[in-house]
DNA sequence: TGTTCGGGTGACGAGACTGTGACGGCAGGA
DNA sequence: TCCTGCCGTCACAGTCTCGTCACCCGAACA
């Protein structure tokens, strides 16, 4: 699932950790020498680095600093392994820089949990570059909307509005929800602003404007298929 | 997950296919008559059409042609079902137009695989919802930029501009490239427009405006780390 | 049938946004 | 050192965009 770089000079540790990681479906790369970490990190672009603080040649803290200084590796989360013998100040120093740390001896189970947590935290939220609903094509890359290949010129407000509606088609978006999403209004300002923009949007969409439905007292919605709207109970 | 329109006059086939599709979480709409395909496709806006070539009333090839001729349906991918008895020319003709085709009799499993492949191909280009470069955080969902958590209010033009630059940080974007990406200008209009917007952007970014670098005669670039720019050979 | 309420519609003015041209300054080459 | 070309900066005017208001209409309900 993820690629993880394990840095430790004790082969036993590396093997133990690798075993557990692989069991969880991760790909493991390992290095035993501090000086080799940066080149290896650049080469393999791991999703996470498990870094022992005690290393031959160069200190783990130094390695960490170098990783952070290099634009190619600075975003990679690091979990530090420290020995109990380390002074508290040392640990505090690490704590500030690393994404997490663990004192030796540690249970593999705990390491796995922490790795899972860090990965989840750093996981990137992906979205569709293009969202298609029927003939509507929302191109987030170019910030544009087209219908059946025809570009519809929208203002930024209209674009935000339809983007919000299309994000959850066939679902009712309340007025306050839309006002919050598009205008950032916290309070339920009651004015004709939203209505007006809905109208402008519908006008620009021409015949397809009917995809934007109104539910009296409830809100608006983007209908993937145009149909009569029957109010549910209020 | 997706809405699929199945066109076949043999009820057994429709039922079989529908069953498998529904099992995979797809919504199925079906039609047994060639003439009903276009209206139904327009009405339900399916994500994919499975089209049998042998149909009563009107030939599947004709139907396909009509689908392609109509702006409302031309973008919908089509998988053709052909009988082994069809001549080779016929199949060649199909092959060019349809997104995929399958000869009867076929295994439902194979159809499912091909449908999966076509759907995957026809949609889903993913992008990061948030892009972070140093202190800069580009939030594509809310179409906003913030620096160290502070929201920067940008106009739509400025937003497109910095989005383009940030899409490939530390890479030179030529003037014509930017004019094309942001303004859609095909020709290299030479005016002060781009410069002016670059300046406005830099101003709004305050001290961080220095991330936008100029390379004389070459273009602009977003620098992930601020540094002196040395012109490469022109 | 009449009343009430929420949404639709059209107009308008303030302000924002944009593209342009003029001008100045700086870098690189002669 | 001067010249040339490219970019930075500024002011400005035209256009666009937005929020609001007044008024209309139709649905829901009594």
């Amino acid at each position: 699932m993820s690629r993880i770089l394990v840095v430790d000079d004790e082969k036993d540790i590396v093997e133990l950790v690798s075993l557990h990681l692989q069991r969880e479906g991760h790909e493991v790369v390992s290095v035993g020498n501090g000086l080799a970490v940066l080149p290896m990190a650049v080469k393999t672009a791991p999703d996470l680095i498990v870094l022992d603080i005690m290393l031959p040649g160069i200190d783990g803290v130094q390695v960490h600093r170098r990783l952070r200084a290099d634009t190619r590796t600075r975003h990679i989360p690091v979990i530090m392994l420290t020995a109990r013998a380390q002074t508290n100040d040392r640990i505090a120093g690490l704590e500030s820089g690393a994404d997490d740390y663990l004192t030796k001896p540690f249970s593999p189970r705990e390491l796995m949990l922490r790795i899972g947590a860090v990965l989840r935290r750093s996981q990137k939220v992906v979205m569709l570059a293009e969202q298609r609903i029927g003939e509507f094509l929302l191109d987030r890359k170019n910030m544009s909307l087209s219908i059946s290949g025809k570009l519809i010129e929208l203002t930024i407000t209209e674009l935000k509005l339809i983007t919000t509606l299309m994000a959850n088609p066939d679902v009712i978006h309340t007025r306050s929800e839309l006002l919050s999403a598009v205008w950032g209004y916290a309070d339920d300002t009651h004015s004709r602003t939203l209505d007006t923009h809905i109208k402008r949007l519908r006008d620009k969409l021409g015949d397809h404007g009917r995809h934007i439905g109104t539910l009296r007292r409830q809100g608006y919605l983007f209908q993937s298929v145009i149909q009569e709207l029957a109010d549910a109970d209020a």
Side-chain angles (χ1 to χ4, degrees), chain A:
Chain A
M1 188 180 189
S2 299
R3 178 168 22 224
I4 296 171
L5 173 58
V6 179
V7 185
D8 205 312
D9 55 324
E10 297 171 58
K11 288 194 175 161
D12 294 349
I13 301 263
V14 171
E15 266 185 39
L16 179 70
V17 171
S18 298
L19 188 71
H20 280 84
L21 283 173
Q22 282 160 358
R23 196 177 289 163
E24 298 204 6
H26 297 297
E27 182 186 339
V28 179
V29 185
S30 67
V31 151
N33 183 313
L35 289 170
V37 175
L38 186 55
M40 182 60 93
V42 170
K43 188 179 163 203
T44 63
D47 299 299
L48 184 145
I49 298 175
V50 177
L51 179 62
D52 190 10
I53 210 174
M54 291 290 286
L55 290 171
I58 178 174
D59 190 28
V61 177
Q62 293 297 327
V63 173
H64 185 219
R65 197 163 297 156
R66 291 194 187 179
L67 287 168
R68 285 284 177 268
D70 194 313
T71 49
R72 296 166 298 179
T73 56
R74 65 154 32 121
H75 62 280
I76 304 174
V78 171
I79 295 183
M80 286 276 205
L81 301 180
T82 72
R84 273 221 198 289
Q86 300 292 135
T87 69
N88 282 342
D89 329 14
R90 197 60 176 269
I91 292 175
L94 290 175
E95 207 172 342
S96 64
D99 296 83
D100 207 338
Y101 73 101
L102 213 57
T103 52
K104 287 187 183 179
F106 55 84
S107 77
R109 184 173 147 68
E110 187 181 7
L111 178 59
M112 292 307 117
L113 289 175
R114 288 184 183 276
I115 284 175
V118 170
L119 281 178
R120 229 170 298 119
R121 205 186 311 148
S122 74
Q123 207 133 61
K124 297 169 179 176
V125 180
V126 295
M127 69 196 299
L128 293 178
E130 298 186 338
Q131 188 184 358
R132 194 154 65 80
I133 299 180
E135 297 127 282
F136 287 63
L137 179 65
L138 190 60
D139 183 343
R140 297 178 192 274
K141 196 177 173 64
N142 294 318
M143 296 186 245
S144 67
L145 175 79
S146 54
I147 300 181
S148 306
K150 191 175 179 305
L151 187 72
I152 309 290
E153 303 222 349
L154 299 179
T155 69
I156 185 69
T157 309
E158 290 154 3
L159 191 60
K160 281 186 183 176
L161 186 51
I162 193 140
T163 299
T164 307
L165 290 171
M166 283 178 69
N168 292 91
D170 302 309
V171 164
I172 302 176
H173 300 257
T174 64
R175 293 177 150 262
S176 49
E177 204 180 313
L178 293 169
L179 285 167
S180 155
V182 178
W183 285 270
Y185 291 171
D187 55 340
D188 192 344
T189 315
H190 111 45
S191 75
R192 300 260 61 78
T193 302
L194 176 56
D195 307 58
T196 303
H197 282 278
I198 287 281
K199 166 161 172 45
R200 286 173 184 155
L201 197 44
R202 281 176 175 150
D203 286 350
K204 287 199 183 176
L205 300 182
D207 212 35
H208 301 278
R210 292 185 298 142
H211 277 277
I212 299 177
T214 307
L215 276 172
R216 227 181 143 73
R217 291 185 50 81
Q218 297 189 74
Y220 296 95
L221 85 171
F222 184 94
Q223 304 183 98
S224 56
V225 177
I226 298 174
Q227 56 188 304
E228 289 305 310
L229 291 174
D231 268 74
D233 193 31

